[in-house]
Amino acid sequence: MSGGSYYVPAKSYWPILGSLATGFMMVGLGAQLVYGSANVLILIGVIAVVAVMAFWFRDVINESHQGLYDSQMDRSFRWGMGWFIFSEVMFFAAFFGALFYVRMFAIPWLGGEGAKGVSALLWPNFIAEWPLLSPPDASVSGPDNVFSPWQLPLVNTLLLVTSSITLTIAHEALKAEKRRVCRNWLAGTVILGCCFIFIQGVEYYEAYQHYGITLEAGIFGSTFFILTGFHGVHVIIGTLILMVMLARIIRGHFSDTGHFGFEASCWYWHFVDVVWLGLFIFVYVV
Amino acid sequence: MAPRIPLQSPLQHSDTVATAGGVDHHPSQPTGWRRWLLTTNHKEIGTLYLIFSLSMFFVGGIFALVVRAELFQPGLQLVEPEFFNQMTTMHGLIMVFAAVMPAFTGLANWMIPLQIGAPDMALPRLNNFSFWLLPVAFTLLLSTLLMPGGGPNFGWTFYAPLSTTYAPASTTFFILALHIAGISSILGAINIIATILNMRAPGMRLMDMPLFVWTWLITAFLLIAVMPVLAGVITMMLMDINFGTSFFDAGGGGDPVLFQHLFWFFGHPEVYIMILPAFGIVSAIIPTFARKPLFGYASMVYATAAIALLSFLVWAHHMFVVGLPLVAELFFMYSTMLIAVPTGVKVFNWVTTLFRGSISFESPMLFALAFVVLFTIGGFSGLMLAIAPADFQYHDTYFVVAHFHYVLVPGAIFAIMAGVYYWLPKWTGHYPNETLAKWHFWFSVIGVNLTFFPMHFAGLAGMPRRIPDYALQFADFNLVSSIGAFFFGASQLLFVLVIILCVRGGKPAPAKAWEGAVDLEWTVPSPAPLHTFETPPVFRQIEK
C-alpha cells in the first residue's frame, strides 16, 4: 500500500529517444531485409537503443542511491519484472507450440494419417518421421543428420544448470554481505554463460558445415533455429546483464537487503535456464 | 456495491501540494512540446493516447469509407481491386491496434490511478515509452501504403501463405511495425498490472475496486499472455519470407494451418482485450445514472475472469472450415457457446441494475444503454456463428462482418464514447454540450444500424467478404450499408466538435460531476489537477 512517498520522476528524455531509436532500428532492419544495404542504419539503431537503455538504467540506479525509492517502488519493480518474464514465457510458448503442432499433427497428416490424408495425393512418397530428414517437396532438401543430444547439447545443459547454481551461491553470498565471494561466483557464472554461447556457436557451425541443418532445411531446421536461436539471444542478453551486475558489485553497488537489480538478473537467468531444459528435452532428446 | 467514501478529502492534498510549488518530486514542469514528449504524468499520457486513438479512428474510418464507396453499387468503379484489398486490411489493422486498443489504454491511464487513489502509474517513464512507440509503429505501418508493390493486402488476419509466399515486399515492414506496437502493448499492460496490484489506496481490497479497474486488470493479463504469441507468429512469417524457413509451407513439412492456430490463439483473447474494458466502463455508468449500486458486483468480477480464461480455449472457432478433425470442431463449438454464460450474467446484471432505478438519460447513459442492446445483438450473432455446422454456411460472408462490427462499433467504440462523455467533466472541468452530444448519439445509433444491420442479410444470402464486387441481388443491401457508413462517419465529426468545445469551455463541473457517481475519481476537483493523491486517501467501504 502507498505510504505517500512514492517517487514519480518529473520528466525524462529516455522514453521518447528510446521510441525513436527502436523505430530507427526497425526501419533499418526492414530496409536491409527488403532492399539490402542498410547495415549502417541497423548499427546506428542498435547502438542508440543500447545507449538509451544504459542512460535510463543509470538514472534509475542514481535515484535508488539517492534513497528516492521506498518499499512500494521495490514491489512495482518486482511485479514489472515478474510479468515481463511471463511475457517471455509466452513468447517461447508460441515456438514450442509450433514444434508440438508440427510433430503431433502436421507431419502425421502429411504422411496420410487421419481424415486429412488428402495431402498424400500431392506427395505420395512422403514418409512421416521426426526428425524430418526428407521434407515432402523435392525442392526443399532436409538435413543430412541431426545432433546426438549426448554430446555438445549435454555439455551445454550441464553448463547452464551449473551456472544457475553458481548464480544462486553468488546471490546468497550477497545477502550474507560476503561481497568477495559474491563477486567470484558471479564471475564464474559469466564465464559459464560465455562457454555456453561459444559451444552453441560451434554447434551452429557444425550444423551448417557437416549436418546440413540450415534455415532452408525444411521444418526441422526452422524449428531448430528459431528455438535455439531465440534462446541463444536470451543467453547473450542474460550474460551481458550479469556482466553489468558484476561491474556493479565491483563498484560497491547493492546491499544485503537492497539489490533488486541483481535479483531480477537472477530471475532472468533462471528463466533462460529453464527454457533450455525444455529445448534440451523437446528439440534434442525426444 | 456500496458507495465508497474516503475518510479524508484527497483534494486537500492536491491543493496544498500545488500551492507549495510541489515537493522535490516534480520541480519544474516542462512546457510547450517538451511537456508532451518528456512527460511522465499519467493524465498527460492518457490524453496523448486518447488523441492518438481519435486521430487513428478517422484514418481507419476513411479507409472504411473507401471500401464502402466502392461497394456502393455492383461493378468496379472507384479503386483497383488490389487497392481495395489494402484498404480492407489497413482499416482492420488501424482500427484494432491503433484506435480501439490505445483508446482503452488512454482511459486506463487517466482513470485507474484516480479510481484506486494512486499518485500515478507504477512505472511512469515506461508509461511514456509505451505511448511514444505507437506513433512510430503506425507511421511505419501507414508508410507501407506508399511502398513499391503497395501495403499489406491480405486482410487484418494476414493468413499465410497470402502474407508470406504471395505477399507484397512491404510485408516485412508491416511485421516490424506490428512488433513495435506489440512491445508497446506488453509494456503498457505490465505497467497497468503493477499499478493495480501495488498502488491501491490503503484499505482498498481487490474486491473493492471499481469494475473498470477489475476489467483492466484481467485485460492486462490477457495482453501479456497473448501479445508475445503474436510476436512469435509474425517472427515466423518474417523468417519464412526472408530466411527460407518452412513454418507455414507444407512443402518443407510445415503447415499453413499452423499460422491460423497461432494467430487465433492470439486473436481470440485479443477480441476480449477490446471488449472487457468496455464492460468495465458500462458497469460504472449504468449504476451512476440508474442511481443504484451495481447489481452483482462479485458475479461481474467472476464473469470477467471466466470470459478471460475461456478465451484461451475457443480460438479454433475461427477455423471451422479449415479442415479440423471432428473432435476439434465439437470441442471448440461447445467451449465457444460456454462463453455466452458469463456474458449473459453481465447483461443480466446491467438490466437488473436498471430495474426500478431512478434513471436519467444523459449522453454517457445513452451510449451505455445502446451498448447493452446492440452488443447483445452482436453476441447473439456470435452464438449463431459458434454452431460449427451453421458456420460452414456463414463463414467468410458479410454475416461475420456484421457480427464483429456489432460487437466492436456499438460495442467497444460506443463504450469508449460513453466513457469519454462520462469522464470529460473530470478531465476538462466542463460538461460536454449535452444537446450536441445527444445529436451525436442518435446519429451514431442510426448510422451504425444502417451500416451493419443489412450486412446480416447480405451475408446470410451468401455475399462473400473482402471482395470489391458482388452479385446484383446484393445491390440494395450494400447501397443502404454505404449510405449508413458515410452518415456514421460524418456524424463522428460532431464527436470531435463536442470534445473541442468541452476543452475550451462550457458549463463548469463540480468535483462530483454526476449525482449518482461513487468512485474515488469524483473526490478530486474537476478538472483533476496534474498531481492527485500524492498522499493516498484512506479508503473505507461504507456498508449499506
Side-chain angles (χ1 to χ4, degrees), chain A residues 6 9 63 72 75-76 137 219 222, chain B residues 38 40 122 125 198 246 251-252:
Chain A
Y6 200 82
E63 288 161 10
Q72 192 184 13
R75 284 197 301 277
S76 288
D137 202 90
I219 193 65
S222 307
Chain B
L38 311 181
T40 51
R125 276 173 292 220
N198 192 32
S246 309

Side-chain angles (χ1 to χ4, degrees), chain A residues 52 58 67 90-91 110 168 199 206 215 219 223 226 229 268:
Chain A
V52 166
R58 190 197 60 175
M90 293 308 294
F91 184 65
L110 280 170
T168 304
I199 290 179
E206 289 290 315
L215 284 167
I219 193 65
T223 51
I226 206 156
Y268 189 81

Side-chain angles (χ1 to χ4, degrees), chain B residues 168-187:
Chain B
S170 64
T171 306
T172 297
F173 287 100
F174 150 78
I175 291 170
L176 296 171
L178 217 50
H179 266 305
I180 304 177
I183 296 169
S184 161
S185 289
I186 292 170
L187 297 180

Side-chain angles (χ1 to χ4, degrees), chain A residues 188-199:
Chain A
T189 312
V190 170
I191 292 168
L192 288 173
C194 293
C195 291
F196 176 93
I197 296 164
F198 175 75
I199 290 179

Side-chain angles (χ1 to χ4, degrees), chain B residues 76 106 133 144 261:
Chain B
L76 296 176
L133 284 172
T144 58
H261 281 293

Side-chain angles (χ1 to χ4, degrees), chain B residues 478-503:
Chain B
N478 276 281
L479 179 134
V480 176
S481 277
S482 288
I483 292 172
F486 277 87
F487 184 68
F488 180 80
S491 53
Q492 297 321 306
L493 296 172
L494 263 179
F495 185 45
V496 181
L497 181 67
V498 175
I499 293 172
I500 291 174
L501 289 178
C502 183
V503 171

